[in-house]
Amino acid sequence: ILKVTKKRIKYEENKEGILLIVSDITIIKKLEKMRSDFVANVSHELKTPLTSIKGFVETLRDGAIEDKDVAMKFLNIIEVEVERLVRLINDLLYLSEIENAKIEINEEEEEEVNIKDVVDECVQLLKLKAESKDIKIHLDVDSELKIKMYRDWLKQLFINLIDNAIIYNKEGGEVFIIVEKSADKILIKVKDTGIGIPQNEIDRIFERFYRVDKGRSRKVGGTGLGLSIVKHIVELYNGKIYVNSEVGKGSEFTIVI
Ligand code: ADP
């Protein structure tokens, strides 16, 4: 995208001419578009649960409150929607925190974190969710490995990956978490036996709010921000993330950091 600016100028004593300034504004336009798409997406994501909450509140007020069973059902839906809003706002705050950190990362505040401790904590948090789908989580994590990183971010990274490995898995499926040292890098793998991701969508799943199946993601309470948060964290530490996936068989997320 080019921008052309015209200016009338005087040169060489009394000669007059027109100066054309041509600038390449592709990146500026791209950033502007990304920003406005982001605002549109956030507004849409906020509006959907709010519209639903408003609808149920109105129906309750218009009489549904008289029927205790119906009222209870509606209140439960309202609660689920409120929880989704809270999750969305937390994820948004998280993303902006990580993005700001890109400019200013305070190495002194970082600690040497034992990775196995963090993984154990995350698995504990997600245990009930896995059990409810009869999913087994297998760990192969070197208990000595340490990494210099904000503990909260490492935890968030694992939670998002393991959570997805459970959500997009089948009943009775499996999740494998592998952490090992490879040369001077740390290799993290989270693998599942779930629904997989179509090849042509793999590049897009790290985009904010991108979901392969919007309906499914919403139904399970996804915000569409999880992987974008993971990618930001990995890149902040000059790491790389790769995905291998086959529809119907499962997905494998590999991080080298
Ligand atoms: P969401 O909140 O929708 O899970 P994410 O950013 O975590 O958002 O993931 C983006 C999309 O990538 C998901 O909606 C899903 O379609 C796909 N996805 C992520 N992880 C997996 C996985 N382990 N298996 C299959 N699909 C996945």
Side-chain angles (χ1 to χ4, degrees):
I1 303 168
L2 297 178
K3 183 181 166 200
V4 182
T5 323
K6 257 199 230 169
K7 257 189 193 167
R8 197 170 279 280
I9 53 156
K10 284 205 168 85
Y11 66 105
E12 283 182 16
E13 295 190 3
N14 50 8
K15 282 185 190 157
E16 262 197 18
I18 287 178
L19 178 70
L20 289 181
I21 305 169
V22 182
S23 24
D24 180 354
I25 55 163
T26 317
I27 292 175
I28 297 173
K29 283 285 170 202
K30 235 184 181 163
L31 285 174
E32 273 175 11
K33 172 139 188 5
M34 271 169 73
R35 188 166 301 157
S36 75
D37 282 354
F38 181 63
V39 172
N41 272 327
V42 171
S43 314
H44 176 77
E45 296 292 332
L46 290 173
K47 213 172 153 187
T48 313
L50 284 173
T51 308
S52 154
I53 290 170
K54 188 163 181 276
F56 284 107
V57 168
E58 279 168 7
T59 318
L60 279 169
R61 196 192 47 209
D62 292 347
I65 200 159
E66 305 299 341
D67 183 331
K68 208 167 168 228
D69 287 346
V70 172
M72 199 46 104
K73 208 170 123 199
F74 285 6
L75 285 172
N76 282 338
I77 298 175
I78 292 172
E79 190 180 20
V80 168
E81 296 291 13
V82 169
E83 279 165 1
R84 178 206 299 287
L85 283 170
V86 170
R87 237 184 348 258
L88 180 66
I89 289 162
N90 280 338
D91 276 359
L92 284 170
L93 288 173
Y94 225 90
L95 252 182
S96 96
E97 185 188 311
I98 298 162
E99 280 184 342
N100 287 337
K102 243 182 210 157
I103 308 160
E104 190 183 348
I105 176 159
N106 189 349
E107 285 195 20
E108 275 162 31
E109 269 180 39
E110 293 179 315
E111 19 168 357
E112 287 267 334
V113 185
N114 180 292
I115 303 178
K116 175 104 177 23
D117 287 351
V118 174
V119 174
D120 285 344
E121 213 176 300
C122 298
V123 171
Q124 195 59 33
L125 278 172
L126 294 166
K127 213 170 136 192
L128 282 181
K129 200 170 190 171
E131 278 170 10
S132 72
K133 280 179 83 175
D134 196 23
I135 289 170
K136 284 204 175 60
I137 301 181
H138 306 272
L139 294 186
D140 182 4
V141 182
D142 184 335
S143 59
E144 303 291 310
L145 278 185
K146 288 190 173 164
I147 189 165
K148 201 164 182 326
M149 198 165 171
Y150 281 117
R151 197 176 199 284
D152 273 0
W153 291 354
L154 187 64
K155 194 169 156 188
Q156 193 69 40
L157 182 152
F158 276 111
I159 285 186
N160 291 1
L161 289 179
I162 303 169
D163 197 27
N164 282 347
I166 297 171
I167 290 176
Y168 302 105
N169 215 323
K170 301 168 190 143
E171 282 279 331
E174 286 175 288
V175 175
F176 300 87
I177 304 165
I178 301 155
V179 182
E180 58 192 29
K181 203 165 173 156
S182 157
D184 58 340
K185 303 248 194 270
I186 285 172
L187 198 87
I188 296 171
K189 264 186 209 286
V190 178
K191 201 170 145 184
D192 65 66
T193 54
I195 60 170
I197 305 158
Q199 283 305 314
N200 59 333
E201 315 237 24
I202 283 189
D203 286 343
R204 303 208 56 192
I205 56 171
F206 295 102
E207 288 173 23
R208 297 158 172 174
F209 298 116
Y210 190 83
R211 290 123 158 175
V212 176
D213 178 346
K214 262 196 190 304
R216 185 180 182 126
S217 161
R218 287 235 172 78
K219 213 164 80 202
V220 293
T223 62
L225 292 172
L227 285 180
S228 136
I229 291 176
V230 170
K231 189 162 191 244
H232 269 87
I233 296 174
V234 170
E235 286 179 349
L236 200 57
Y237 288 90
N238 301 316
K240 288 236 164 353
I241 180 159
Y242 308 93
V243 191
N244 242 318
S245 187
E246 204 177 319
V247 172
K249 288 216 162 145
S251 312
E252 181 182 85
F253 287 80
T254 306
I255 291 169
V256 183
I257 202 162

